Amino acid sequence: MNLRSALKPGFVGGIVVVYLSAIGMVERFQDRNVITGLVGLGVVLMLVAFAITSYTAARKSDSSLLTGVAVGFISGAFVAIVTMGFEGLINAGLDVRGMFVSITPGLLETLEFGLNPVVGAFMMVVASTAVGAVSGVLVGLEYHLRSAVVFAIGITLLMSLGEPILRVTLGNLQIPTGWLYELGGLTIAGTIIVLALAFGLRWWWMSRADTRREAAAQMPEATRRTWGRASLMAAIVALVALPWIVGPFVSDVLGTVGLYVLLGLGLNIVVGYAGLLDLGYVAFFAVGAYAAAIFTSPASFLVTEEGQQFAEAGFTNLWVALPFVVIIAVVIGAAIGAPVLRLRGDYLAIVTLGFGEIIRTLVLSDWLSPYLGGAQGLTRVPAAPPSSFDLRNPQHIYYLILAFSLIAAYISYRLVDSRVGRAWAAMREDEDVAEAMGISVVRYKLLAFAMGAGVGSLGGVFFAAKIGSIFPNSFGLQVSINVLAVIILGGIGSIPGVIVGAAALVGLPELLREFGEFRLLIYGAILIAIMIFRPEGLLPNKRRQRELHEGQDLAAVDLTKEGPS
Amino acid sequence: MSDAILSLRHVSASYGPVRALDDISIDVNEGEIVCLLGSNAAGKSTTLRTILGMTRANAGEIVFDGERIEGLTTPEIVSRGLTMVPENRRLFGKMSVKENLEIGANLRDDKAEIQEDIERVFSLFPRLKERIRQRAGTLSGGEQQMLAIGRALTARPKVLLLDEPSMGLAPILVEQVFETIQEINSQGTTIFVVEQNAHMALSIADRGYVLQTGSIVLEDTAANLLEHPKLSDAYLGEME
Ligand SMILES: Nc1ncnc2c1ncn2[C@@H]1O[C@H](COP(=O)(O)OP(=O)(O)O)[C@@H](O)[C@H]1O
Ligand SMILES: [Mg+2]
């Protein structure tokens, strides 16, 4: 092993930990227990940073254990020296907090593991070296073992981080949680049980992989289809039961995730299937929300002009309004699509970006404020009848969103392998030749745009119904970008990808709420990491994966097993 | 000629200020193989693009099957029975062989008939059937040309337009491709093929035209053209 090769990752690890400490993240995270009484989240954060740097360095080295140890040692030493330095400065009576606002006694205590500075520094080096050694050993392990270890640690962390939801959920299911959770973290016994269970399950699952594959290969087509149906049904049953298991708070988050699934599925048709980069998708979301509000709110201009005759209930109820809203959105989608769809690539992206902004400006404008409410927005969007199905109740509207998401997912699924889906794929690959083959490129683009608009407007309708009031600033560029990020993260063109992407991008930040301003930092870091390590997204569409890894697998690829995904 | 299934009458086309076709007239009769010869940049591809409406003719008329088509969109023209095998094949490389063939039939509705046409392509090119699920981009050059022709055939064209089918292929494969073109023709499809490889094209064609910087400079039966003193592969571009 070459010591120099360990130097750089070692310093990187050290600097990352010092950085996370200096911005206050470690201290804030330390308030959250991971294993109550033993490890806080701040310490875990440091250890994870050490582990990742050691692991990546060790993987590239011939002598992984030595490299891991060296990297861990250097990182830890760096952190320890910086910590002692600050300690010294403070002891010397210097006011470091003038510049480093987050260097608090509490932080230093964490970095010294609550011991005296010298012993603490020693402990830091011991801990980081140990983490480095473990990472080095992990690299050398046989694949199954390593995978099981990483899986077990990951699951344990997730179980601990998910405590707020999981404890409530288990409580709702009448499962006692005292043995597992304590003061917001796992108990020591709970940790051991979770680690062991996760490790064992993963090990067992992988050791049976071959048998399973064989069984699957020999399974007759009919049986396989039955299995597929059964698991789909099970998934749907689970989705239906979900809000009652997780309780109202998480149901609300699920509703928001569902909205993004719906929006993601719509945009996926435009970007993923037809290959049109639309940066103004929020426009259709806004059209849906505003149209729904105008049709149903008693405060809408439709009502006042009719001499208060609808004042009680609004112009009409949500169910009646729904199809009209979608039709309006589709028409608007086609109308703004028609002139711009002759543009290609980047130009289209810029123009759609413009449309998104125009819609936002329009709803904000004084000119249209008699109709759209201007900056005051439109309020008093009523829930749909019957009142026993209360759309303000997160556990109820969830079902509405779920139902429409399922429909949108089914339509998307059927589209991929249809004539339309193939035409889109051809267009995406070579527009000129597609045209030469008789594919009416403009028409197919328009179709994609209109379908995307329709689905996006549904999202808007449910958004309006869910929160009851809509304001212009809910319809900014951020929405377009978030939806696009959902489908890119999940894997462009992939339906399961949209679901995973929405859960990760929308659900995760909601659950990280207690970390306040660090939320976006974590979110950004996770996004960057995923895009570096999995540029094709979390659950990629197979065809897209091939497009991205062009040239890497020129051998014949058997597409038999590829269903639309 | 009144029995021409496809005729160009005094057609001109340009790319901006650059005139690519200057008053050309071509007739293709039903059942014939007609070739259009010309060197690089003579305007051969432009001729095909203009027929398909991908480049607009700015003068003249194009008549197909008794009706003028120069104002129609490409998909409309294709749906009437004119399909092209593009220059350099231009397959959908990320799609499977089967999907490429299905794209050719994208304008048509009848599943059974499409399946029948795909089978017909496979009987013409058994090698493609063996590779039905393979990515088109991973096929060899010869197989790609077969697939490009197959893709055009599943559109059931009355007239098949081919843009330099010999380009980039080894001589033995060129011969095979031209034999196949002849076979397709004998099964009832009219062929209009554009080539630089004059000898090869004339050996299967009934008649030929020679294009030079956007103008037709010669037209005759294939037999006569083959005998023509000025016409040889090497000097095609420098002909007076
Ligand atoms: N898209 C284009 N834009 C501008 N000029 C073009 C374009 N395509 C072809 N040309 C020009 O038109 C002429 C004829 O080209 P082309 O029909 O491709 O010739 P050929 O197929 O016989 O080699 C050439 O001078 C070429 O440079
Ligand atoms: Mg050409």
Side-chain angles (χ1 to χ4, degrees):
Chain A
M1 187 213 58
N2 182 345
L3 190 66
R4 290 246 295 284
S5 69
L7 219 51
K8 192 175 139 204
F11 277 117
V12 169
I15 289 168
V16 167
V17 171
V18 168
Y19 170 77
L20 294 178
S21 307
I23 61 170
M25 208 160 148
V26 169
E27 192 185 6
R28 172 74 85 80
F29 275 37
Q30 188 61 14
D31 292 343
R32 173 76 173 267
N33 284 320
V34 174
I35 306 171
T36 303
L38 202 62
V39 187
L41 192 54
V43 170
V44 168
L45 190 67
M46 289 194 305
L47 298 186
V48 166
F50 290 142
I52 290 176
T53 37
S54 312
Y55 186 87
T56 37
R59 214 174 41 173
K60 286 187 218 134
S61 144
D62 311 328
S63 43
S64 46
L65 177 58
L66 271 179
T67 310
V69 169
V71 172
F73 178 82
I74 296 167
S75 313
F78 183 86
V79 178
I81 291 169
V82 174
T83 310
M84 292 218 301
F86 275 114
E87 189 76 44
L89 290 177
I90 291 168
N91 288 344
L94 279 173
D95 177 22
V96 289
R97 293 193 66 187
M99 204 159 163
F100 300 95
V101 277
S102 296
I103 308 285
T104 62
L107 172 68
L108 292 176
E109 196 186 311
T110 304
L111 292 177
E112 288 154 4
F113 299 92
L115 304 163
N116 90 50
V118 180
V119 184
F122 182 69
M123 278 305 293
M124 172 64 74
V125 177
V126 169
S128 66
T129 310
V131 169
V134 171
S135 311
V137 170
L138 262 185
V139 171
L141 283 184
E142 180 259 343
Y143 168 74
H144 284 138
L145 204 55
R146 180 173 64 220
S147 162
V149 170
V150 173
F151 181 79
I153 296 176
I155 287 293
T156 311
L157 269 177
L158 272 181
M159 289 281 291
S160 177
L161 283 176
E163 184 265 353
I165 309 168
L166 288 174
R167 197 167 37 76
V168 174
T169 307
L170 292 174
N172 288 347
L173 294 171
Q174 311 294 326
I175 297 171
T177 54
W179 58 277
L180 185 61
Y181 289 123
E182 181 183 60
L183 297 172
L186 288 166
T187 60
I188 294 176
T191 309
I192 295 169
I193 293 170
V194 171
L195 272 175
L197 268 182
F199 180 87
L201 277 176
R202 178 75 180 163
W203 181 257
W204 175 79
W205 179 254
M206 282 192 307
S207 66
R208 282 184 38 89
D210 288 337
T211 338
R212 227 178 22 245
R213 205 169 303 132
E214 232 165 75
Q218 282 168 3
M219 199 183 283
E221 187 59 31
T223 324
R224 188 178 313 163
R225 210 168 300 149
T226 317
W227 269 108
R229 289 232 181 90
S231 30
L232 190 66
M233 286 319 287
I236 291 176
V237 168
L239 283 173
V240 168
L242 208 53
W244 304 101
I245 298 174
V246 295
F249 167 69
V250 180
S251 294
D252 191 46
V253 175
L254 284 177
T256 311
V257 171
L259 270 184
Y260 271 88
V261 169
L262 199 55
L263 293 174
L265 287 170
L267 186 62
N268 188 46
I269 294 175
V270 184
V271 181
Y273 293 173
L276 306 168
L277 186 51
D278 179 354
L279 295 182
Y281 195 59
V282 67
F284 305 123
F285 181 59
V287 166
Y290 271 89
I294 289 170
F295 279 130
T296 63
S297 166
S300 142
F301 70 93
L302 291 178
V303 172
T304 42
E305 280 184 8
E306 290 291 334
Q308 299 294 316
Q309 84 184 78
F310 304 108
E312 279 311 299
F315 183 68
T316 178
N317 79 50
L318 192 74
W319 307 121
V320 180
L322 202 61
F324 291 103
V325 173
V326 174
I327 291 167
I328 289 171
V330 166
V331 170
I332 292 182
I336 64 179
V340 304
L341 288 177
R342 286 170 205 282
L343 299 173
R344 293 191 183 187
D346 311 349
Y347 302 103
L348 180 71
I350 301 294
V351 173
T352 52
L353 186 69
F355 275 123
E357 282 304 289
I358 288 173
I359 292 273
R360 199 178 59 87
T361 314
L362 281 182
V363 296
L364 197 59
S365 70
D366 289 337
W367 173 51
L368 288 175
S369 67
Y371 311 105
L372 304 179
Q376 267 76 54
L378 288 174
T379 52
R380 294 205 285 148
V381 180
S387 53
S388 58
F389 185 73
D390 176 12
L391 293 183
R392 294 291 189 276
N393 180 333
Q395 284 163 312
H396 289 185
I397 189 151
Y398 167 88
Y399 288 112
L400 194 58
I401 297 174
L402 176 67
F404 278 90
S405 299
L406 286 175
I407 294 171
Y410 182 72
I411 293 175
S412 302
Y413 171 81
R414 290 304 300 263
L415 272 174
V416 176
D417 245 354
S418 69
R419 210 158 69 155
V420 176
R422 269 197 302 275
W424 280 334
M427 248 166 58
R428 231 172 40 218
E429 211 178 314
D430 192 331
E431 216 173 296
D432 289 319
V433 179
E435 181 98 38
M437 291 297 120
I439 291 167
S440 175
V441 170
V442 170
R443 236 187 34 221
Y444 276 107
K445 282 184 176 178
L446 214 54
L447 179 67
F449 221 64
M451 288 185 74
V455 177
S457 71
L458 276 175
V461 172
F462 300 143
F463 176 74
K466 185 167 184 278
I467 59 175
S469 311
I470 50 176
F471 303 103
N473 56 14
S474 308
F475 303 95
L477 177 62
Q478 190 63 37
V479 177
S480 300
I481 292 182
N482 278 347
V483 180
L484 193 61
V486 160
I487 62 177
I488 291 175
L489 185 72
I492 291 185
S494 151
I495 297 167
V498 170
I499 297 163
V500 171
L505 269 178
V506 185
L508 210 58
E510 291 293 331
L511 300 181
L512 291 173
R513 231 170 229 298
E514 61 175 296
F515 301 122
E517 68 274 22
F518 296 115
R519 212 152 60 110
L520 290 177
L521 180 71
I522 305 168
Y523 180 87
I526 292 177
L527 265 188
I528 292 174
I530 292 175
M531 286 297 106
I532 289 176
F533 295 112
R534 277 190 84 92
E536 66 269 44
L538 293 170
L539 287 180
N541 167 306
K542 294 231 172 46
R543 190 197 305 278
R544 286 290 183 155
Q545 201 165 14
R546 287 197 305 263
E547 288 174 17
L548 264 168
H549 293 284
E550 192 71 351
Q552 287 173 21
D553 61 339
L554 281 178
V557 177
D558 187 357
L559 306 184
T560 343
K561 303 281 152 34
E562 179 190 346
S565 49
Chain B
M1 250 181 274
S2 57
D3 55 345
I5 185 166
L6 172 69
S7 34
L8 283 72
R9 295 179 189 146
H10 309 292
V11 171
S12 299
S14 35
Y15 296 102
V18 184
R19 170 155 284 210
L21 295 180
D22 189 10
D23 192 20
I24 67 167
S25 296
I26 294 173
D27 280 307
V28 179
N29 298 322
E30 187 145 15
E32 271 188 323
I33 300 182
V34 174
C35 65
L36 177 67
L37 307 170
S39 64
N40 227 339
K44 303 181 299 295
S45 299
T46 306
T47 308
L48 296 188
R49 290 178 58 88
T50 310
I51 293 172
L52 276 183
M54 300 170 78
T55 300
R56 286 281 152 212
N58 37 29
E61 53 190 55
I62 304 173
V63 178
F64 175 65
D65 217 6
E67 286 176 63
R68 293 187 43 178
I69 57 165
E70 74 271 7
L72 303 181
T73 66
T74 305
E76 283 165 344
I77 295 171
V78 173
S79 69
R80 287 174 183 226
L82 263 171
T83 322
M84 175 167 69
V85 179
E87 192 169 8
N88 284 321
R89 311 179 265 278
R90 302 273 293 266
L91 292 171
F92 300 107
K94 289 150 198 162
M95 297 193 193
S96 70
V97 168
K98 175 113 186 289
E99 286 169 317
N100 268 278
L101 294 175
E102 285 167 337
I103 286 290
N106 209 271
L107 279 171
R108 296 170 38 206
D109 247 326
D110 186 338
K111 272 198 178 151
E113 273 188 22
I114 292 173
Q115 196 50 44
E116 208 174 277
D117 284 358
I118 290 179
E119 287 305 325
R120 188 165 84 104
V121 170
F122 285 149
S123 69
L124 212 53
F125 306 114
R127 291 177 71 105
L128 290 183
K129 183 154 195 172
E130 296 161 21
R131 289 164 173 70
I132 181 163
R133 308 209 175 277
Q134 194 171 321
R135 273 170 71 181
T138 64
L139 297 175
S140 75
E143 290 160 351
Q144 291 199 7
Q145 188 59 271
M146 294 174 194
L147 181 54
I149 294 174
R151 181 179 63 177
L153 284 180
T154 52
R156 281 214 177 166
K158 293 182 185 137
V159 177
L160 180 65
L161 311 173
L162 295 115
D163 196 343
E164 302 206 37
S166 73
M167 187 185 273
L169 295 183
I172 172 96
L173 289 174
V174 173
E175 246 168 77
Q176 275 178 23
V177 165
F178 276 89
E179 274 166 28
T180 316
I181 293 172
Q182 233 172 345
E183 191 175 339
I184 294 167
N185 176 251
S186 70
Q187 291 175 10
T189 309
T190 307
I191 308 276
F192 182 53
V193 55
V194 148
E195 261 300 343
Q196 284 196 59
N197 188 339
H199 197 79
M200 197 68 235
L202 288 171
S203 73
I204 63 159
D206 298 304
R207 294 183 302 111
Y209 293 80
V210 177
L211 189 66
Q212 196 178 3
T213 53
S215 305
I216 302 282
V217 292
L218 261 182
E219 67 169 289
D220 212 331
T221 62
N224 287 347
L225 282 176
L226 271 172
E227 302 287 298
H228 200 284
K230 288 182 187 165
L231 187 75
S232 78
D233 292 353
Y235 297 106
L236 200 58
E238 290 162 24
M239 225 173 49
E240 297 290 291

